[in-house]
Each structure stands twice: as C-alpha cells, then as structure tokens.
Amino acid sequence: MAVVTSGLKPLRRIASYAVCLDASDRVLLVRASATSGTPGLWSLPGGAVDHGEHPVETVVRETAAETGLSVAAGALRDVLSDVRALPHRGMTIHTDRLIYDATLRGGRLIRRVGQPTDVAAWVSLAEAKELPLRPFTAAALGLPCDRVDPRPDKPPELPSFLAVPGRDGLHRAQRFAAYAVATDPSGRHLLTRVASRFPGAGRWHLPGGGTDFGEQPEEALLRELLEETGQHGRVEALLGVASHRDPASLGPEGYPIDWHGVRVFYRVRVDRPTQPRVAEPGGSTDDARWFTPQELAGLPLTEVTAEALRM
C-alpha cells in the first residue's frame, strides 16, 4: 500500500529485537498500546539502538523495560529492513532491524500503563499465527502475514548517514552498513583499500558500505561489491554484527563527528573471480585486490576487517 509522501520527513533508525522461547517453546511477544503508532499489534520485544549502544545491549535493555524479564542475547538470527510511511507523524521511516536469539535469565512479566507497549505474554507459534503481528515479527518467526505497512510512493533522497549537530555543537551520526567477507573458489579473500582523506586511509577494508534508504542489507552488499571491486557475488550466510563508536571521527567533512557505526557481515562467494577494479574512483576506496590467507597476515587491516575475519 503506497502513500503519497511528498513533504514527509525521511528518517532512519536501527533497532534490535529478541526471539526468546520458554521451556514449552512459546515465544515472548509484546502488544503495542493505544498510545503507539501501531495500536493492538504484537511484536518481538526490542526497540531503537541508542547512539553508541551495541545492539546486544539494546535487546537486553528493551526486553527488560517492556516485559520485566531479563534475557541474554545470543546469536544474530536475521537482519530485516523495512520502510513505513507515517503521514500522521509527518515522516517516512526506514528501520534496520537486528533479530537475536535470546535465553531467559529470570524476572516476572509486567503490565505497563501509558507506554508504547502495554502487555507482554508467552505465546505458542500456533497462537501467534492468529494474532495481528507486525510484518517484521511474522517474518522473523517464519509465519504468514497479510498485513502490509504503508509505504512511501517513492524512496526519498537521503544519504546513508546524516550528521546532526547536538546541543553541545558536536555533530553525531549513526550509520547502518553491510560488508562482505568475500572469497573465491581458491580461498583468496577480496579486500579494498581505504582512500586518503577517509578514516583508516591506507588500510585494507572489506567491500561494502552504508545501505540506501529502502534498501535491504544483502542488496546493498552486492551492489557495493560490484561498485568497489567489479565482482559479482552471492550471499552464503550471515556472520554477525559489530558496533563501533568514534567520539571524534575526522573524515572528508573536515569537522569532528561523534560517529556510531553498526555493521553486519555476510559470507559471500565470488564464483568467477576477475581482476578487481574500482568502478567509482574518487570515493572512499582507491584499490581492490585478492589476497591469499598467508598474505593477509602482513596487511594493515581496519578494525572492522580484523573483527569480521575473526568471525
């Protein structure tokens, strides 16, 4: 269902949620209250990632606030992105949602008054199938859903990150990005070199980058792979996520930015490797090459690359 969105303010946010099962394989769900933007709909517990917060911390914090239960976040289960048009709030919003498996540590279910969610409950999957679920919750649980969020009639033009000045005058930016741990049939790794004027200049990085408004992470990943290296790949698996904050990152903008990057990593196979080439010169990448595992040991790697290779 498309909604005319001329004049609506485009916003982006990152959120994380828990898929928590009890001993009877019932899933923990919360109901949106009458004060929320989706009254009466059920969803996984979770919410927006605060600036500088790791999504795992968000899962634990938001689940406790919404349900009264303490959980431990485990493996990253899925990453889903969606766009909703909210004319009554004057905005259209793109949300990147990180879905984690979680285990119960203790606590008691609570009811809340005057909050965005008012009921928390353990629900069997058969019961959940009959509830009015948020589309992302149905997708995360593998359940059918005929509900469609109102979407903008066309994607707004919005950069993958937007630096906004805070009360102290320091600009802040939160960015969601997807990166590839890309290999070819011989086991070589594909890396890109960070161009001058960008943080980490001269170090070797993973191909990938920030996702566009309305774009799914895997789509963005394969697009960036082609633009930065000229390679066609296929996604094999979701590896994990990293969260990194630099309180005074200095890049081509020329002024310090309190930067928070949330990055998801995928294992990608390039079945027919070719000589890498940077298709868009003048950007943050100035070179791309294949490296054997032995050659990786002597390379200056970015923090993101080293963390992803450990995954």
Side-chain angles (χ1 to χ4, degrees):
M1 179 174 60
V3 175
V4 176
T5 56
S6 56
L8 296 186
K9 181 181 179 181
L11 294 175
R12 291 196 65 162
R13 73 168 187 166
I14 304 169
S16 60
Y17 302 86
V19 176
C20 185
L21 303 178
D22 68 2
S24 301
D25 284 337
R26 296 178 302 174
V27 65
L28 181 62
L29 296 179
V30 294
R31 187 183 69 183
S33 71
T35 63
S36 75
T38 55
L41 298 187
W42 291 78
S43 71
L44 298 171
V49 176
D50 288 342
H51 187 85
E53 184 179 42
H54 196 289
V56 164
E57 298 170 349
T58 306
V59 166
V60 176
R61 173 179 58 79
E62 285 282 347
T63 300
E66 292 183 339
T67 70
L69 301 178
S70 173
V71 301
L76 182 64
R77 180 188 184 103
D78 204 354
V79 181
L80 306 168
S81 297
D82 57 72
V83 176
R84 290 188 297 151
L86 304 173
H88 62 290
R89 295 174 60 186
M91 67 179 66
T92 179
I93 183 169
H94 170 124
T95 306
D96 297 295
R97 307 181 193 272
L98 303 161
I99 314 296
Y100 286 89
D101 287 321
T103 55
L104 180 64
R105 295 193 295 190
R108 294 186 300 173
L109 289 178
I110 60 172
R111 295 182 68 94
R112 304 205 299 172
V113 178
Q115 299 294 320
T117 60
D118 58 5
V119 175
W122 293 103
V123 180
S124 70
L125 288 182
E127 293 169 333
K129 189 176 179 180
E130 303 303 318
L131 292 175
L133 299 176
R134 293 283 303 277
F136 83 87
T137 296
L141 297 177
L143 296 176
C145 182
D146 56 8
R147 184 178 305 278
V148 178
D149 286 329
R151 294 179 55 84
D153 52 352
K154 59 180 180 180
E157 294 183 3
L158 188 71
S160 59
F161 82 96
L162 185 63
V164 179
R167 293 180 180 178
D168 56 4
L170 181 64
H171 284 69
R172 289 175 174 80
Q174 191 180 58
R175 187 192 196 203
F176 182 84
Y179 290 94
V181 177
T183 58
D184 69 0
S186 66
R188 295 183 300 172
H189 285 265
L190 180 62
L191 298 181
T192 61
R193 190 174 64 189
V194 181
S196 61
R197 301 185 303 111
F198 289 86
R203 293 183 176 271
W204 290 91
H205 198 43
L206 298 174
T211 63
D212 290 338
F213 198 100
E215 193 173 34
Q216 291 293 328
E218 294 186 18
E219 296 172 358
L221 177 67
L222 298 180
R223 171 182 57 76
E224 290 276 353
L225 182 69
L226 184 61
E227 292 174 357
E228 292 185 340
T229 71
Q231 309 298 300
H232 293 273
R234 56 182 175 85
V235 176
E236 291 188 323
L238 175 64
L239 295 177
V241 62
S243 177
H244 177 253
R245 181 184 184 185
D246 185 342
S249 176
L250 193 62
E253 299 83 10
Y255 53 85
I257 295 175
D258 184 350
W259 178 274
H260 179 207
V262 176
R263 306 170 175 104
V264 291
F265 305 111
Y266 292 88
R267 186 169 66 241
V268 173
R269 175 59 65 95
V270 177
D271 294 310
R272 295 182 176 85
T274 61
Q275 182 65 33
R277 59 180 179 82
V278 180
E280 294 186 346
S284 61
T285 297
D286 66 5
D287 195 4
R289 301 181 197 175
W290 288 103
F291 294 98
T292 66
Q294 293 75 22
E295 291 171 327
L296 288 178
L299 290 178
L301 302 177
T302 64
E303 180 182 345
V304 172
T305 303
E307 185 169 357
L309 292 177
R310 285 195 296 269
M311 291 182 183

